[in-house]
Amino acid sequence: MGIQCLDLDTASEDQYDLIAIHSSLPSYRLAYLLNRELSILLSRENEDVVFHYSDCRAYYPKYQYKDVVYYTTYDLVANYYQYEVEVPNDKANDLFGNTNPGMVKKVLMPELKKAEYLLKITTESSFLEINHLVKKITDITQIITAYTVDSTQLKFKNYLIFE
């Protein structure tokens, strides 16, 4: 009997498109605008994407829409999480004597640290034109820019597995 070998690297590769979005909008407002412009129905998931760091637990808001007609899933996730830390009084004073707590920012995808949001599109059909979708996103006035990301070049692509 011959030896059989299963190559798990090809089985684990998920086919998806990734769009980085630069915008200062809150996540719920961005989801609303994407719903309106792309004719989708992104809704907030009950559970956020959670990562445990040595100094904190980061919660990245996640919105999802599953299009059952075209077998497409849209996942919108924030790329950063901010939280306040205590700053010693001698370093917290600004020019006018006010004290402000320090803000620390944790980034979900370190390679895309300038992008505020990531839109992951997983599809089994070939009808979706990603460049047309990016054009529609960049036409939204509150979005600074949006562009596709080559997911094969990402070191931490496992962070994009949301199930």
Side-chain angles (χ1 to χ4, degrees):
M1 180 176 201
I3 298 174
Q4 295 182 353
C5 180
L6 177 63
D7 186 11
L8 294 178
D9 288 336
T10 58
S12 66
E13 286 296 317
D14 215 8
Q15 295 298 327
Y16 60 86
D17 292 303
L18 187 64
I19 300 173
I21 300 174
H22 295 258
S23 176
S24 60
L25 291 171
S27 59
Y28 65 89
R29 182 75 175 141
L30 179 62
Y32 168 77
L33 292 172
L34 290 175
N35 285 343
R36 189 181 69 191
E37 295 301 319
L38 304 180
S39 301
I40 59 176
L41 297 171
L42 288 168
S43 61
R44 178 78 184 253
E45 291 289 297
N46 291 334
E47 295 181 15
D48 293 338
V49 177
V50 180
F51 276 89
H52 302 278
Y53 297 100
S54 61
D55 56 341
C56 76
R57 183 179 298 173
Y59 297 91
Y60 302 96
K62 179 183 165 206
Y63 294 77
Q64 187 176 67
Y65 170 61
K66 291 185 179 184
D67 187 349
V68 294
V69 175
Y70 295 108
Y71 304 106
T72 304
T73 301
Y74 298 84
D75 290 300
L76 175 68
V77 65
N79 193 33
Y80 66 90
Y81 172 75
Q82 282 187 323
Y83 65 99
E84 293 181 9
V85 293
E86 293 294 324
V87 178
N89 284 340
D90 59 338
K91 294 182 182 178
N93 292 336
D94 64 4
L95 181 62
F96 302 104
N98 299 328
T99 58
N100 295 322
M103 296 298 291
V104 176
K105 183 175 172 179
K106 295 290 184 182
V107 180
L108 178 65
M109 294 299 295
E111 296 99 335
L112 303 170
K113 61 183 170 188
K114 296 205 183 260
E116 284 82 13
Y117 297 97
L118 302 171
L119 181 63
K120 176 184 169 187
I121 304 167
T122 309
T123 186
E124 294 179 16
S125 65
S126 61
F127 87 97
L128 188 66
E129 292 184 25
I130 196 71
N131 292 332
H132 178 68
L133 200 64
V134 170
K135 172 76 170 103
K136 287 175 98 173
I137 293 171
T138 55
D139 286 344
I140 299 172
T141 58
Q142 293 91 341
I143 292 179
I144 299 166
T145 189
Y147 50 89
T148 59
V149 176
D150 184 9
S151 59
T152 60
Q153 301 300 318
L154 297 175
K155 289 186 226 172
F156 301 101
K157 57 183 149 194
N158 290 341
Y159 290 1
L160 295 173
I161 300 172
F162 300 131
E163 288 131 23

